[in-house]
Structure formats: structure tokens, C-alpha cells
Amino acid sequence: MEKGISLKVEGTQTLSKKSNNLWQFVFSADNMFASLNEVSNFYVENHQIIPTKYQYKSVALGKKRTATLTFDWEKMLVRNDIKDKPWNLAINPNTLDKLSIQLQIRQDLKIGKNEFDYQVADGGHIKNWIFERSSLETIDTKLGKVSAIKVIRADNLAKGKQTSFWFAPKFDYLLVKLEHKEDGESYHLNIESVK
């Protein structure tokens, strides 16, 4: 972070089956200064993630932020509940939320894709996120050396942002490392355990 401040935060990702075809993906992380919790509920059809609801909650230095996106695929709308002011946004087929996109990349890597172009409901807009498969790298993890496919987010490079993901085929294309750099700040996620 800026001014050389470095914080270690432990986070957990959990993927669980809720009923029939409904799945839930949760990311949570916290320390004494901040907490973050994201939840995506979704179905999968023909390797396509179909989100039904996304929830975001964060607290940082006393500031709270919450958002809930509810996907209505019959009406092709996503309802945004942000600061208790709900409103609807038109969506296209295969629109994702900010958390489920990670699972969609996994699905697409499994079927051999090299380029990834997604529409994401984020911040009250539909945004186009583009990723490119970079290389197969061996990375050091708490699980030992792991061979992982590096995927780079390409649509925001011109804005000075750099985001890289590493997915390990050995672990069913699980995300084992993530790096993000922006405005002199950076964060890294590194896998410590899997079960």
C-alpha cells in the first residue's frame, strides 16, 4: 500500500452446492482495520455461470459499503440495491457479477479457451472485462510448487492497472494466486490451503 504500509489479511473462498443446481461462492477476509464479504449465488448451464444474486459488504476504518444485485433473467434486468436506492439495469445474456467471473474463467479454461470476453454488472453499469491467457508458470505456494496458467486482465492496462490470476489445472483450475497493482498500491492473494 501507499507509504510502505503492508498488511497481511487471511481470506477464505468457499464454493458450496445449495440445492439442485444452485451454487454459492463466498469470499471473506478481515483484520482489525477492515473486512470484506462477497457472495454470489448462481446456476451453471453448459459451462456458463448464471448468477442469481450478488452481495457485497465492506467495512474499512469505520466506513461501510453494501450492495446487492439481483438478476431477473426472464425480464433481462438486474436490480441494484445500493445505499437503499434500488433501481434496474438492462442486461445481456451471460452477464456476470464481479465474483462469479472468477468461476467463469475456470470453466472456460477447462474447455480450452485462450481469450475471455465478459460482460459484468458492476457499479451500476455493464462493463466489458477482457482477459488473455498468458503462460504456464510454476509458482511457489504453501502447497509446494504448482504449475498454473497465468491469465491477465487486458481491458484496464491502459488505465495503469495490472491484474494477473494463476489457475492450477492440478486442482481443477482453482485460483492459487492473484496480483493487482494500481496507483502505487498493490495486493496479492496466495493460496495457503485447500480442502
Side-chain angles (χ1 to χ4, degrees):
M1 296 175 65
E2 288 182 314
K3 302 181 181 78
I5 298 170
S6 180
L7 298 173
K8 183 173 182 180
V9 179
E10 187 167 305
T12 304
Q13 287 188 330
T14 307
L15 178 63
S16 55
K17 195 167 188 177
K18 290 306 187 186
S19 65
N20 293 339
N21 298 320
L22 183 66
W23 292 80
Q24 185 176 76
F25 188 43
V26 178
F27 175 73
S28 59
D30 64 81
N31 66 11
M32 62 189 298
F33 301 105
S35 67
L36 170 66
N37 185 266
E38 289 181 281
V39 180
S40 179
N41 292 291
F42 62 93
Y43 295 95
V44 182
E45 288 182 8
N46 298 320
H47 299 284
Q48 178 64 46
I49 304 290
I50 303 169
T52 59
K53 191 172 189 177
Y54 167 79
Q55 294 171 289
Y56 175 94
K57 294 178 185 176
S58 70
V59 179
L61 302 174
K63 292 184 180 179
K64 294 182 181 180
R65 289 182 59 206
T66 63
T68 301
L69 304 180
T70 307
F71 292 79
D72 185 337
W73 292 105
E74 287 185 11
K75 295 179 181 176
M76 298 303 289
L77 295 171
V78 61
R79 176 185 162 122
N80 292 262
D81 286 300
I82 301 171
K83 297 181 181 175
D84 297 320
K85 296 177 182 176
W87 54 281
N88 291 317
L89 177 69
I91 55 175
N92 296 313
N94 303 334
T95 299
L96 299 164
D97 61 62
K98 291 197 309 182
L99 186 60
S100 65
I101 193 168
Q102 183 187 129
L103 298 176
Q104 188 61 60
I105 294 171
R106 283 180 69 186
Q107 290 289 325
D108 289 343
L109 284 170
K110 288 180 191 182
I111 59 174
K113 284 192 176 182
N114 291 317
E115 293 184 5
F116 317 91
D117 191 337
Y118 306 114
Q119 293 198 335
V120 179
D122 173 34
H125 304 281
I126 301 299
K127 299 178 180 176
N128 208 48
W129 290 14
I130 299 169
F131 298 81
E132 294 175 357
R133 182 175 176 151
S134 174
S135 56
L136 186 65
E137 298 181 0
T138 300
I139 58 173
D140 290 317
T141 73
K142 290 276 179 92
L143 307 175
K145 290 190 181 295
V146 175
S147 180
I149 299 167
K150 184 178 181 181
V151 175
I152 298 170
R153 184 169 168 194
D155 63 282
N156 62 1
L157 291 173
K159 298 174 186 173
K161 300 177 182 179
Q162 187 175 357
T163 311
S164 303
F165 304 81
W166 285 262
F167 296 90
K170 175 182 177 181
F171 298 114
D172 195 33
Y173 294 86
L174 183 70
L175 178 69
V176 292
K177 182 178 177 180
L178 182 150
E179 289 183 354
H180 178 78
K181 297 177 183 177
E182 177 181 357
D183 297 331
E185 296 184 2
S186 66
Y187 64 81
H188 311 266
L189 297 176
N190 297 290
I191 194 164
E192 294 205 342
S193 64
V194 62
K195 58 182 174 180

